[in-house]
Amino acid sequence: MGEDKRLTAVVALAQGMAAAHTPRECWQAAALGACHALDGSFAALSVWERELGRLRVLVNVGDRAPDEEEFPEAETYPVHQFPEITEFLHERWAGGGGPNAWVETAEGTAKGTPGYFHQRVAALRRRGRGCCVVAPVVLHGRAWGEVYVARAVGEPLFARADADFATVLAAVVAAGIAQTERLEEARRLAYTDALTGLANRRAVDVRLEEAVERHRAEGVVVSLVVCDLNGLKRVNDTLGHAVGDRLLERFGSVLSLCGAMVPGALAARLGGDEFCLLAVGPPADDVVKAADELCRRAGELEQGEGVACGVASTEDAIGEVRDARRLFRLADAAQYRAKALRLDRPVVAGREGPDDPVVRLADAPPPSRAERRRFRGRRP
């Protein structure tokens, strides 16, 4: 491949990774870009999970063998089978060299490579490939994983120049992964409550809008639990905000624990003493059961005074739910009723007969003055 074509391939790889919106898209763009740049028939991107002592394949692209999934859930290899990722890199760096790529063939190790080839050679033969080039991906000064590009039997073998080019490609891949990690961290911070580590209001807004759209299009059940932690102001005023923060953290842990009873539920802190659980798919009764357990456990928290909890689900008799705001109003009205009645159990919208007081409260015209508090769902 000429210099101009290689430069074009590098630019295409970088652009493909930059255009990715998720880690999976980033991994796929990295593998596809490397495969194309090196005229390979197959490529994979793997990460070195140091704490588990294994290489985990993130993505396989190109001509995959029957046992190779595009995004495998459990394709891992013990690092001791491929010690070059640790020993070879260490030897190279200790000698003042860089993390260069190397070539292996189905006939055995290529000249000048470290010699740890047995498992890779066996894999090449088993999958009908004639050769491969392995390029370490180094991130933040440490071996992160590897880019692996193979050619089928009968294709030209990779040469030293290909390995050198693969080293360049791996550096581009590393830069793309670093950028994706930064974006993911920014997204995580944007959608995470700093004190409790739960999702925040922004995350709930986004997820609930999507959930209601699914409900309208597919009829999927959407349930929302809204709760206020009782007694926080008293704790802050008498024991200090540090103790109040610990109470919020402990309740956040209880919320997360109870949310785990409902598959896929999102546990969130909306702000102050306000929290919620959002469930998409499970039956309403399962969500109510989790809310019951939440009330029970909240009542046992030291310094706390329990929780006022309201539930609204599209599976109950609450009328048509056209947007996220109405479901929020219903759950909030149910929570308000639980607080007014000082109940130690959740109030569920739509379960008190045809003239349900929660539904009536939620659907009442807004008062002329500001609402009881700044409502979580934006006004219509």
Side-chain angles (χ1 to χ4, degrees):
M1 182 183 291
E3 289 300 320
D4 289 344
K5 287 187 176 180
R6 285 188 170 177
L7 178 58
T8 300
V10 169
V11 172
L13 171 58
Q15 290 176 337
M17 296 187 72
H21 296 291
T22 65
R24 274 195 169 194
E25 290 179 3
C26 175
W27 304 335
Q28 185 182 54
L32 285 171
C35 191
H36 174 73
L38 288 162
D39 292 326
S41 61
F42 170 85
L45 179 69
S46 303
V47 63
W48 177 17
E49 296 181 328
R50 293 169 181 264
E51 72 280 9
L52 299 175
R54 68 186 187 184
L55 281 174
R56 179 167 63 90
V57 178
L58 301 174
V59 63
N60 293 307
V61 301
D63 297 333
R64 305 196 307 270
D67 63 335
E68 292 172 324
E69 300 175 8
E70 183 176 18
F71 293 104
E73 292 295 326
E75 186 180 351
T76 61
Y77 303 95
V79 171
H80 70 78
Q81 293 183 358
F82 305 104
E84 65 270 15
I85 196 170
T86 55
E87 297 180 31
F88 178 47
L89 291 177
H90 175 73
E91 290 167 6
R92 293 288 254 173
W93 289 338
N100 293 336
W102 63 91
V103 174
E104 291 171 359
T105 74
E107 301 304 318
T109 187
K111 183 178 179 181
T113 56
Y116 303 113
F117 60 89
H118 304 290
Q119 297 294 335
R120 292 194 193 272
V121 168
L124 286 171
R125 292 172 178 169
R126 185 171 66 251
R127 289 166 174 159
R129 293 165 187 152
C131 63
C132 68
V133 60
V134 184
V137 176
V138 178
L139 196 62
H140 310 309
R142 302 177 68 184
W144 178 90
E146 65 176 39
V147 176
Y148 173 99
V149 180
R151 288 176 178 168
V153 171
E155 295 286 327
L157 298 180
F158 286 116
R160 181 65 255 170
D162 295 312
D164 292 340
F165 184 41
T167 299
V168 175
L169 294 174
V172 177
V173 168
I177 291 171
Q179 175 67 10
T180 298
E181 287 185 352
R182 286 193 292 270
L183 291 174
E184 282 299 300
E185 178 64 9
R187 291 189 187 103
R188 187 191 68 78
L189 293 174
Y191 291 99
T192 302
D193 175 64
L195 177 64
T196 63
L198 300 176
N200 64 12
R201 164 63 189 276
R202 183 182 291 107
V204 174
D205 284 344
V206 171
R207 186 77 66 87
L208 184 58
E209 291 285 353
E210 294 173 348
V212 171
E213 284 299 315
R214 283 191 59 195
H215 167 69
R216 296 184 63 190
E218 308 167 21
V220 67
V221 177
V222 181
S223 303
L224 184 67
V225 180
V226 170
C227 47
D228 277 11
L229 181 62
N230 296 327
L232 179 63
K233 185 177 185 305
R234 176 191 59 77
V235 170
N236 285 336
D237 290 346
T238 60
L239 301 175
H241 286 272
V243 178
D245 284 350
R246 288 199 294 274
L247 176 59
L248 287 168
E249 289 179 278
R250 287 197 294 271
F251 180 71
S253 297
V254 169
L255 181 67
S256 179
L257 176 67
C258 294
M261 296 171 59
V262 184
L266 178 72
R269 181 188 178 204
L270 299 171
D273 59 359
E274 300 173 348
F275 294 77
C276 81
L277 278 176
L278 172 60
V280 183
D285 284 345
D286 290 356
V287 178
V288 174
K289 182 178 179 181
D292 268 320
E293 180 68 8
L294 176 64
C295 290
R296 185 187 71 77
R297 288 178 177 270
E300 298 173 352
L301 286 175
E302 185 181 358
Q303 305 297 348
E305 298 176 9
V307 65
C309 188
V311 183
S313 175
T314 58
E315 196 173 47
D316 284 316
I318 59 175
E320 185 178 6
V321 176
R322 293 188 175 183
D323 55 39
R325 291 168 293 183
R326 183 163 189 268
L327 198 64
F328 245 130
R329 282 197 299 270
L330 286 158
D332 193 56
Q335 180 275 135
Y336 182 70
R337 182 168 174 79
K339 183 179 286 287
L341 297 177
R342 299 180 180 277
L343 299 177
D344 60 356
R345 56 177 174 78
V347 169
V348 185
R351 296 195 176 185
E352 294 188 42
D355 192 29
D356 186 281
V358 172
V359 176
R360 193 170 67 247
L361 175 63
D363 291 342
S368 56
R369 298 181 63 184
E371 291 181 286
R372 176 175 58 88
R373 61 182 170 222
R374 192 171 186 176
F375 203 85
R376 304 178 191 88
R378 293 178 295 276
R379 292 189 188 182

